[in-house]
Amino acid sequence: MSINLHIKLLTSLLVITGLVVLWYKVTYLGLPLVPTTRADVWTIEARMEFKAYREVPVKLDLRVPRDPEGFIVVDENFVSGNYGLNIDDTGQDRKIQWAVRNTSGYQVLYYRLHLAPDEISITDSSPGEVAVPDVKPDQFPEYMASAITTLVTEVRTKSADNISFAREMLKRLNSGSPDSNVELLHQDVNRDEAWIIRIAGLLNQGNVPARLVRTLTLKDGLNHKSLTPWLEVHDGTHWVAISPWTGETGLPRDSMIWSRGDHDILQLSGGKNSRLEFSVGKHSLDMTVVAEQRARKLNSRMMEFSLMRLPVQTQNIYRILLMIPVGALLIVLLRNVVGVKTFGTFMPILIALAFRETELLWGLILFTSLISLGLLFRFYLEYLKLLLVPRLASVLIIVIMLMLAISVISYKLGFERGLSLALFPMVIITMSIERMSLVWEELGSTEAIKQGIGTLAVAALGYLLMSSHYIGHLVFTFPELLLIILAATLLLGRYTGYRLTELWRFRMALTWFK
Amino acid sequence: MSIFPWRQLSALGVLGINKRNADYISKYNPRHRYPLVDDKITSKAVAVRHGIPVPDLYGVIEIEHQIADLPALLHDKPSFVIKPARGCGGEGILIIDSRNTHEYICVNGYGYTVAGLSHHVSNILGGMYSLGGRPDMALIEYRVDFDSCFDGVSHRGVPDIRTLVFRGIPVMAMLRLPTRLSRGKANLHQGAVGVGIHMNHGTTRGGYWQGKPILHHPDTGNELSGITIPYWDDILCLNARCHDCTGMGFIGVDIVLDKNRGPLLLEVNARPGLSIQMANRTGLLPRIQFIESLANLPNSLQDRMMLAKSLA
C-alpha cells in the first residue's frame, strides 16, 4: 500500500469518525453548532406555606412530575431550611417529603423546577403504563346507581370506542339543559377537581379507563397560580387528554401535566392551613446545558465523556488548550502552503495566546515595544561579551523589569490595559529577542524585521482565529472536530505542491528556463 | 502552457521545498544518519576514514574551560577557520586570514582580539549557532588556500562548489561566489552569487544573484561564464563518494579547491537548498526523476561520473 493511499484512508477514517460523532451530537443530543443558540427555559416555583403545630413532628409531601412529556428537566432545587429531604420515585411521579421533628409557627418551603422544551422527540411512547389499565369501579352513593346505569347505557349506544364514549358522556354532562340524571350527579359536587373525579368515575363505570390529571399553565410572569384539573382517557393504547368541559382532546394551551391521578398534591401532617402556589417564569439558557440534560435522560455514553463533566477550572483550561490545534493548523497552512517565515515554529501561537489577555492592538503595541527595547539591551549585552546562558538570563530579567516599568507607568497614566501585560509570557519574549538578534547579526536587519513582521502577522491571524467565539464553541462542544483538524494536518503533511512564496521566489524561472 | 504559475513551474520541473522534504529528504535520508552530517566533527572523521580529502583539523574546543588554550593552539597558525560543529546555513563560521601583533584579521576585514575570538567560541559552545540552541563544540581547522582560478570572480571569502547528489549520482552543481554583501560567505541567501555549471565538462554559465540573473560578478565585474573548473572529474568522484560514506540519498556536497591539495570536502548538507535550480536555470525534477526511475544504478565511480555527465 502506497503512503499516499494509506494517508487518504487514514484521513477519511478520521473525518468520517469526526463527522459521525458531530452529527450524532447535533441531531440526537441537540447540541448547538453556534454558540448563541439558547433555549427557553421555564422556571416553575412551587411555594408551600402552612402553620406548624407546636412540638409535633411535621411531614409535608409534595408530588412533582418525574419526566414531564415534551420537556427536559434541566435542574431542580429545594429550599428546605432545617427540614430533612427525602425523594420517593413512585414510577409515575415523584413524592418529595420534607420532615422536621420540632418546629412551630408559619413555615414556607419552595420547590423549583427548570424545564426546557424538548423539541427533538426522543420517546414516542408516553410515560406511564402501556398496558390497558384496570378499571376499578368507583364507589357511588346508592341513590345515584340507577341514574348512572341509565346514563352509561345511553352513552354506550351512541359511541364506538373509548374516546367517543368519553366525548358523548361529556356532552351529556356539560349540556346546557341537563336531564334529571345529570342534575343528580351534579348535586353534591362543587369543585372542578371533584367534578372531574366524578366524570372519571362515570367513565370507569362504562369500562373506560379515565383519570384526573393536574396541569400547570406555562406563561411568563404567572404568580400565585394553582394547578388546573383536567381529564385523561385511555383509548386502548395511550392516555389521551380531554377537556372535561368541551370534550376536545388535548391539554389546555401552553401547559404541562404536573401530576396524574386523584391523590393530593400536597399532604401535610403536623400543621394546618397549608397552601400551595405556583409561579412561572421564563428565561433563556445555553443550549449546551439543555443538551447535556437530554443526554443524561437518554443515558448517552457520549456525554459521559463530555468536557462539560470536568470541573469548571479544568474546563476553562481546555477552552484554551483546544484552540491550540486550530492555531497549529493555521501555522501549518501559513508555513507549508503560504511559506511565511517566523521565529520558531509555534512561537506565533504562543504569542497569540498571550494576546488573549491584552487584546490585539494593545498586544501588538506592547509586544513590539518590549521586543524593540529588549533588542537594544541585547545589543548592548553583545558588547559586554557575556556567556550565552547568563546573557539569556540577563535578557529575561531585563524583559521582566521592562514589563514592570510598563505596567507601573501605564497604571499611573490610567491605562488599565498596560496591567494585562503581566500575563505576557516573558520567556517567549526573551527567546524572540534572542532569535531576532541572531537573525539580525547573521542575515541582516532586513531579514530580521521581515521575520519579526511575519511572526507578528501570523500571531495576529492566530489570535483572530483563536479568539473567535464560534470556533471556540465548536471545538469545546465537539472535541471530535480535532480528528478533522488532525486529518487536515496529515493531508497537508503530504502536500508536495509549491508554496505561495515559492511562486515569487521562482518567478524568474518562468521566463528563463527552457 | 497553463495560466497558473504553479502548473508552469511544475512543467518546467522546478522542485519546491514541500516536495523536496516529503518526497526526497524524508525518503532518501535516513534519520539515524543525520548526526553524521549535522555534526562536522563526526562527518570529518567519517570522511577521513573513507579517504576523502578534507581540510586538516587543528583542534576541537568542547568545553568553556578549553577556551583558555586558544592562543596556545593558534600561536603557529597564521590563518585558520573556526566553525560550530552543528551549525547550519554557514552561520557562526569565522575565517581568519592573517594576524598582526594583537589582532586576528578576519576575511571580511574585521579584527578580532583574543578576547573577541574567545567570545565567539563561547557563543558556539553555548549553542548560539546550533539547531535548536543545543550546546555545541567549536572546530578549528585549516584555512583553505584557494586555487587562484576563482580570484577574478570572488570577493574575499570562500568560493565553493555545491553539488546536489541524488542516490550517489551528482545531478546538478553550482559555483558559489562570496560578495561584499555576503561578507565572505558562500550562502546564496546571504548574498553570494550562484553560478550554474555544465555537468559534462565543468564550465560555468551565467550567474544568479539576489533573485536576478547576472553575467558579471557584482564586486569584481569579471565575467562569470566560461570558467572551467579544474579537477572536474575528481570533484564528481568526490561527490559520489560522499554519498557512499554518509549513506544519504539526497545531499548537497560543498567542495573547495585548494591550491596545493586540490578538491577538499568542506561539508555535507542533508537539507540542500533549491536555489541551485535558479543558478543553473533548470529544474531539478527531470534529472531526479530520471535517476529515480533507474532500477539499477551503476556501482563504479567511473560509471556514475559518466551518468552524471550525461544529465546536462
Side-chain angles (χ1 to χ4, degrees):
Chain A
M1 183 159 60
S2 82
I3 290 181
N4 282 338
L5 181 64
H6 188 139
I7 295 229
K8 271 176 197 153
L9 286 177
L10 179 63
T11 48
S12 8
L13 188 73
L14 288 173
V15 169
I16 289 168
T17 315
L19 286 180
V20 164
V21 177
L22 178 81
W23 174 78
Y24 172 79
K25 281 169 116 176
V26 172
T27 50
Y28 283 88
L29 303 183
L31 282 167
L33 280 168
V34 274
T36 47
T37 312
R38 298 181 77 81
D40 287 334
V41 172
W42 295 102
T43 300
I44 300 155
E45 191 178 82
R47 181 179 185 275
M48 293 144 279
E49 55 171 65
F50 61 93
K51 189 145 167 50
Y53 298 134
R54 204 171 283 273
E55 301 189 0
V56 168
V58 174
K59 250 176 24 184
L60 183 77
D61 289 354
L62 175 72
R63 281 182 187 270
V64 298
R66 183 167 167 268
D67 249 339
E69 273 165 75
F71 292 94
I72 292 159
V73 179
V74 180
D75 196 11
E76 59 181 349
N77 336 101
F78 311 89
V79 178
S80 9
N82 54 350
Y83 283 75
L85 186 76
N86 191 31
I87 302 171
D88 235 359
D89 198 329
T90 63
Q92 226 179 56
D93 51 13
R94 292 184 310 156
K95 202 159 82 179
I96 298 169
Q97 186 171 75
W98 284 270
V100 71
R101 193 161 287 280
N102 201 347
T103 188
S104 65
Y106 180 69
Q107 305 284 313
V108 181
L109 292 169
Y110 291 96
Y111 168 73
R112 207 172 287 137
L113 181 67
H114 302 276
L115 291 180
D118 189 0
E119 274 125 17
I120 304 162
S121 187
I122 41 174
T123 44
D124 44 10
S125 68
S126 57
E129 315 83 320
V130 180
V132 182
D134 290 335
V135 178
K136 56 172 195 330
D138 286 35
Q139 296 299 311
F140 286 98
E142 249 173 67
Y143 65 90
M144 287 185 185
S146 67
I148 290 168
T149 320
T150 323
L151 191 62
V152 166
T153 324
E154 279 177 26
V155 169
R156 180 170 300 283
T157 57
K158 293 193 174 180
S159 65
D161 55 12
N162 287 1
I163 300 294
S164 54
F165 181 90
R167 284 222 175 107
E168 184 59 29
M169 178 68 87
L170 288 167
K171 208 166 96 189
R172 289 293 190 99
L173 296 175
N174 295 324
S175 138
S177 49
D179 60 25
S180 57
N181 287 337
V182 174
E183 263 176 9
L184 180 70
L185 291 170
H186 263 300
Q187 248 171 25
D188 59 338
V189 179
N190 44 20
R191 287 189 309 128
D192 284 353
E193 208 169 286
W195 175 236
I196 292 166
I197 292 172
R198 166 126 319 155
I199 295 174
L202 283 170
L203 292 172
N204 286 350
Q205 289 293 318
N207 248 339
V208 172
R211 64 186 177 188
L212 166 84
V213 294
R214 293 185 175 92
T215 65
L216 180 67
T217 310
L218 296 178
K219 202 174 154 204
D220 195 15
L222 284 186
N223 275 316
H224 312 297
K225 285 294 286 187
S226 52
L227 298 173
T228 312
W230 211 253
L231 183 67
E232 253 187 359
V233 175
H234 203 275
D235 70 352
T237 48
H238 296 289
W239 284 103
V240 178
I242 287 187
S243 163
W245 319 116
T246 62
E248 281 170 29
T249 51
L251 288 170
R253 213 153 54 87
D254 299 327
S255 62
M256 60 162 296
I257 294 177
W258 185 268
S259 86
R260 295 185 162 87
D262 49 10
H263 26 243
D264 290 330
I265 293 291
L266 194 66
Q267 280 174 318
L268 174 68
S269 73
K272 59 175 181 182
N273 298 341
S274 65
R275 253 172 60 149
L276 173 64
E277 278 178 351
F278 289 90
S279 55
V280 178
K282 185 170 143 180
H283 63 104
S284 67
L285 191 72
D286 205 329
M287 264 307 273
T288 44
V289 180
V290 179
E292 204 200 341
Q293 294 304 322
R294 179 182 286 124
R296 197 174 288 179
K297 188 171 160 188
L298 277 172
N299 282 325
S300 170
R301 275 291 142 83
M302 202 61 82
M303 288 311 255
E304 284 296 317
F305 299 105
S306 159
L307 282 168
M308 285 158 217
R309 288 293 163 91
L310 294 172
V312 177
Q313 214 175 0
T314 320
Q315 279 189 31
N316 288 339
I317 293 170
Y318 274 101
R319 276 185 196 277
I320 299 172
L321 280 188
L322 283 173
M323 292 311 278
I324 292 180
V326 179
L329 180 63
L330 176 79
I331 292 278
V332 168
L333 272 172
L334 287 177
R335 286 185 62 117
N336 280 43
V337 180
V338 178
V340 181
K341 280 187 182 171
T342 57
F343 294 123
T345 311
F346 291 111
M347 197 175 286
I349 287 309
L350 297 176
I351 297 171
L353 284 179
F355 284 169
R356 287 171 63 95
E357 309 291 345
T358 55
E359 310 234 310
L360 190 54
L361 188 63
W362 261 102
L364 285 174
I365 293 170
L366 290 173
F367 191 79
T368 319
S369 46
L370 267 178
I371 293 274
S372 329
L373 287 169
L375 262 182
L376 279 177
F377 276 101
R378 171 65 182 73
F379 286 128
Y380 173 66
L381 292 178
E382 179 65 32
Y383 168 77
L384 294 180
K385 309 272 180 228
L386 302 178
L387 292 176
L388 180 86
V389 179
R391 187 179 61 221
L392 274 176
S394 323
V395 174
L396 182 69
I397 295 167
I398 286 163
V399 164
I400 291 178
M401 292 198 306
L402 285 173
M403 285 161 70
L404 189 72
I406 290 180
S407 288
V408 170
I409 292 168
S410 56
Y411 182 70
K412 282 272 179 207
L413 294 178
F415 300 130
E416 288 291 312
R417 283 275 173 222
L419 294 173
S420 49
L421 181 75
L423 299 158
F424 243 72
M426 60 269 167
V427 175
I428 292 169
I429 294 179
T430 309
M431 294 311 289
S432 308
I433 291 171
E434 186 64 17
R435 275 167 183 275
M436 190 152 178
S437 75
L438 262 186
V439 174
W440 194 291
E441 266 171 29
E442 293 296 324
L443 304 176
S445 54
T446 334
E447 184 67 22
I449 290 170
K450 208 162 49 177
Q451 287 198 19
I453 291 173
T455 307
L456 275 186
V458 174
L461 257 177
Y463 168 79
L464 289 179
L465 196 69
M466 286 160 59
S467 63
S468 145
H469 284 298
Y470 186 69
I471 295 174
H473 166 83
L474 275 183
V475 287
F476 187 75
T477 323
F478 308 103
E480 57 275 10
L481 286 176
L482 292 192
L483 292 177
I484 295 171
I485 293 180
L486 177 64
T489 315
L490 287 176
L491 274 183
L492 283 170
R494 290 297 302 171
Y495 170 73
T496 55
Y498 299 104
R499 298 175 181 178
L500 268 177
T501 48
E502 278 183 317
L503 297 183
W504 176 251
R505 177 185 175 187
F506 294 130
R507 68 195 181 282
M508 302 309 268
L510 299 180
T511 46
W512 299 350
F513 287 17
K514 292 170 283 293
Chain B
M1 196 163 251
S2 164
I3 52 152
F4 299 113
W6 50 92
R7 292 262 177 81
Q8 295 179 34
L9 284 180
S10 167
L12 288 166
V14 175
L15 178 63
I17 291 179
N18 289 331
K19 195 171 173 63
R20 176 198 75 174
N21 292 346
D23 287 350
Y24 300 108
I25 290 186
S26 67
K27 194 168 165 191
Y28 290 99
N29 292 351
R31 274 269 30 132
H32 68 276
R33 291 191 173 271
Y34 271 73
L36 220 61
V37 294
D38 283 345
D39 186 334
K40 291 197 181 76
I41 298 173
T42 323
S43 49
K44 206 183 254 290
V46 170
V48 168
R49 205 160 58 234
H50 283 76
I52 293 172
V54 292
D56 291 336
L57 185 64
Y58 292 159
V60 176
I61 294 183
E62 292 173 48
I63 53 171
E64 203 73 26
H65 184 70
Q66 291 175 314
I67 296 176
D69 307 335
L70 209 56
L73 187 68
L74 300 173
H75 81 275
D76 60 339
K77 314 279 191 301
S79 66
F80 54 88
V81 177
I82 299 178
K83 53 168 79 165
R86 289 193 217 120
C88 62
E91 287 175 22
I93 298 176
L94 203 62
I95 303 157
I96 302 299
D97 257 346
S98 57
R99 61 200 296 182
N100 58 30
T101 47
H102 59 280
E103 274 188 332
Y104 296 89
I105 310 299
C106 185
V107 67
N108 56 24
Y110 291 142
Y112 281 86
T113 59
V114 172
L117 279 188
S118 303
H119 178 64
H120 184 77
V121 172
S122 161
N123 277 343
I124 291 176
L125 298 190
M128 186 163 169
Y129 306 103
S130 70
L131 287 169
R134 287 174 304 173
D136 200 1
M137 291 183 271
L139 272 78
I140 297 164
E141 62 176 28
Y142 169 70
R143 186 252 199 260
V144 177
D145 192 5
F146 302 108
D147 195 293
S148 55
C149 60
F150 304 130
D151 280 357
V153 287
S154 105
H155 179 84
R156 295 182 170 140
V158 199
D160 70 3
I161 296 153
R162 154 64 63 94
T163 313
L164 205 132
V165 183
F166 182 55
R167 296 178 75 195
I169 314 292
V171 290
M172 198 176 272
M174 71 168 162
L175 179 64
R176 303 193 300 181
L177 302 169
T179 62
R180 193 194 304 276
L181 182 73
S182 79
R183 291 197 273 167
K185 286 177 183 136
N187 288 76
L188 260 53
H189 68 268
Q190 289 174 336
V193 178
V195 184
I197 301 175
H198 282 287
M199 287 305 282
N200 61 351
H201 40 77
T203 48
T204 58
R205 43 183 155 208
Y208 169 76
W209 185 59
Q210 296 287 293
K212 297 179 293 286
I214 53 168
L215 293 172
H216 304 278
H217 190 275
D219 300 320
T220 66
N222 289 320
E223 201 172 342
L224 294 170
S225 62
I227 304 168
T228 302
I229 292 170
Y231 318 106
W232 182 240
D233 287 5
D234 294 345
I235 291 171
L236 288 181
C237 283
L238 196 56
N239 283 325
R241 284 162 70 197
C242 283
H243 160 79
D244 302 344
C245 75
T246 57
M248 298 189 109
F250 193 83
I251 47 175
V253 179
D254 295 344
I255 287 171
V256 283
L257 295 182
D258 190 77
K259 209 173 261 173
N260 308 310
R261 299 187 55 199
L264 300 178
L265 170 67
L266 211 54
E267 72 174 283
V268 175
N269 199 316
R271 305 165 194 84
L274 298 171
S275 300
I276 197 170
Q277 303 177 100
M278 301 308 287
N280 278 282
R281 301 180 192 190
T282 314
L284 268 168
L285 278 178
R287 298 186 189 184
I288 293 178
Q289 281 163 350
F290 170 67
I291 300 289
E292 206 172 24
S293 70
L294 298 177
N296 295 308
L297 288 170
N299 246 332
S300 79
L301 282 177
Q302 190 63 30
D303 291 346
R304 276 148 72 181
M305 199 174 74
M306 295 316 290
L307 180 58
K309 286 186 170 188
S310 72
L311 287 173

